[in-house]
């Protein structure tokens, strides 16, 4: 096997390892800071297990990695708020800091007891967002931990749930579509109140008698190109990095089949299907290849 072929194989193996249900590597206590309401965050199991609690409509909690990075894969296991979680939002996302920010979102919108969560995804680049896709889960995300991964390289962004890709956003910057490539991001986890919009458009409000609302996180994997206070290495975008291997610039046939199955069965909102939101036309990437 040639060196280039071996590099591709190793890159694919590395991504598969990141997507496994059990995560080994950085833990929350060592690698993260609580940046909002630290009294509502609790670490145990040596920092491998984290709970974030929402106790009132103004008091949730947020965790942020100490590392900034450009490109790579960030993964964690999450067990969402049980029971009546209406009006609550649990998150796992990456974001830069400052003006015209970049951001890649997983947001989990709670619901009434017995009603399904909404998995909300979005991407911002150069401060431009409104690229939402939403899904119903095909499992109970409150019963056990599930793996949520954001994979980001110079070619594309992929959102994975339990190793299944649910969405791709491809880099069409050459065609004028903003794509995050140069602003270092942190990874964040949080829980907060959004009863004005989160559940059925705000129709269902939070039952604060059920507080605190608790989301659990277990294990953290950061396989990223790390940035320092002086900036990011010019090599973060280089082809030699594992995440930039040619085979990781597209989904495998199996992944494409899995994603299409999820999107066919569980998509409840796709911004590309709503031209009324954009004065009668959809953004240009909606007519461009994503897979």
């Amino acid at each position: 096997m040639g060196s280039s072929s071996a590099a591709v194989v190793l890159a694919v193996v590395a991504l598969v390892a990141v997507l496994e249900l059990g995560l080994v590597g950085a833990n929350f206590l060592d690698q993260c800071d609580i940046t909002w309401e630290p009294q509502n965050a609790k670490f145990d199991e040596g920092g491998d297990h984290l709970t974030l609690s929402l106790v009132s409509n103004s008091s949730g909690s947020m965790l942020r990695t100490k590392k900034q990075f450009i490109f790579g894969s960030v993964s964690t296991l999450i067990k969402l708020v049980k029971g009546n979680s209406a009006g609550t939002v649990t998150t796992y996302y990456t974001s830069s800091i400052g003006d015209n920010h970049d951001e890649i979102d997983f947001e989990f919108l709670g619901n009434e007891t017995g009603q399904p969560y909404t998995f909300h995804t979005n991407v911002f680049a150069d401060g431009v967002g409104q690229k939402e896709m939403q899904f119903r889960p095909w499992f109970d995300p409150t019963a056990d931990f599930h793996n949520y991964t954001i994979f980001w390289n110079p070619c594309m962004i992929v959102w994975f749930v339990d190793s299944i890709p649910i969405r791709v956003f491809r880099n069409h910057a050459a065609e004028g579509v903003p794509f995050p490539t140069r602003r270092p991001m942190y990874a964040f986890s949080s829980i907060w109140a959004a009863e004005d919009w989160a559940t059925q458009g705000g129709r269902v409000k939070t039952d604060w008698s059920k507080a605190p609302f608790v989301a659990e996180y277990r294990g953290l994997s950061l396989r990223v190109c790390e940035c320092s206070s002086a900036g990011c290495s010019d090599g973060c975008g280089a082809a030699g990095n594992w995440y930039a291997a040619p085979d990781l610039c597209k989904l495998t046939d199996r992944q494409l089949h899995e994603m299409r199955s999820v999107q066919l069965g569980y998509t409840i909102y796709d911004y590309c299907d709503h031209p009324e939101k954009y004065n009668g036309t959809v953004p240009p990437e909606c007519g461009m290849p994503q897979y």
Side-chain angles (χ1 to χ4, degrees), residues 206-221:
T206 305
D207 181 355
W208 291 107
S209 71
K210 301 294 194 297
F213 302 97
V214 180
E216 296 184 64
Y217 297 75
R218 175 166 282 134
L220 178 67
S221 177

Side-chain angles (χ1 to χ4, degrees), residues 40-258:
N40 295 332
K42 180 182 177 182
F43 301 98
D44 56 22
E45 299 178 12
D48 289 328
H49 180 249
L50 165 73
T51 59
L52 297 179
S53 297
L54 175 64
V55 299
S56 74
N57 61 5
S58 62
S59 183
S61 193
M62 176 179 288
L63 171 142
R64 187 182 80 182
T65 58
K66 295 177 180 178
K67 290 182 180 180
Q68 288 181 284
F69 52 86
I70 285 184
F71 305 132
S73 177
V74 293
S75 298
T76 193
L77 305 175
I78 306 175
K79 185 191 296 185
L80 296 176
V81 175
K82 293 179 179 293
N84 188 344
S85 57
T88 71
V89 180
T90 304
T91 74
Y92 182 62
Y93 66 102
T94 67
S95 182
S96 65
I97 304 298
D99 295 336
N100 300 319
H101 80 296
D102 298 335
E103 184 174 329
I104 306 167
D105 291 336
F106 260 126
E107 294 185 329
F108 308 98
L109 313 184
N111 214 330
E112 299 172 284
T113 302
Q115 298 298 311
Y117 262 80
T118 294
F119 288 3
H120 178 98
T121 66
N122 198 5
V123 57
F124 289 78
D126 300 335
V128 177
Q130 293 191 323
K131 304 188 186 294
E132 302 94 342
M133 285 188 70
Q134 294 181 337
F135 307 86
R136 292 291 190 220
W138 52 97
F139 54 88
D140 180 357
T142 74
D144 206 346
F145 288 93
H146 292 268
N147 182 306
Y148 301 91
T149 296
I150 296 169
F151 175 71
W152 170 38
N153 72 8
C155 302
M156 63 183 184
I157 299 164
V158 188
W159 292 256
F160 289 91
V161 178
D162 290 339
S163 81
I164 297 173
I166 65 170
R167 180 184 180 184
V168 173
F169 188 83
R170 183 159 292 281
N171 185 351
H172 287 295
E175 290 77 38
V177 179
F179 186 87
T181 57
R182 58 190 179 87
R183 292 181 181 85
M185 298 205 209
Y186 295 96
F188 293 82
S189 300
S190 67
I191 187 169
W192 49 284
E195 64 179 2
D196 57 330
W197 65 270
T199 303
Q200 301 177 36
R203 184 181 66 82
V204 181
K205 304 301 183 182
T206 305
D207 181 355
W208 291 107
S209 71
K210 301 294 194 297
F213 302 97
V214 180
E216 296 184 64
Y217 297 75
R218 175 166 282 134
L220 178 67
S221 177
L222 301 172
R223 293 182 55 82
V224 295
C225 190
E226 187 173 355
C227 305
S228 69
S229 58
C232 302
S233 166
D234 291 339
C236 282
N241 291 300
W242 72 268
Y243 49 76
D247 275 17
L248 296 184
C249 279
K250 60 181 180 180
L251 299 181
T252 66
D253 289 344
R254 176 179 175 179
Q255 288 173 332
L256 185 57
H257 174 75
E258 290 174 334

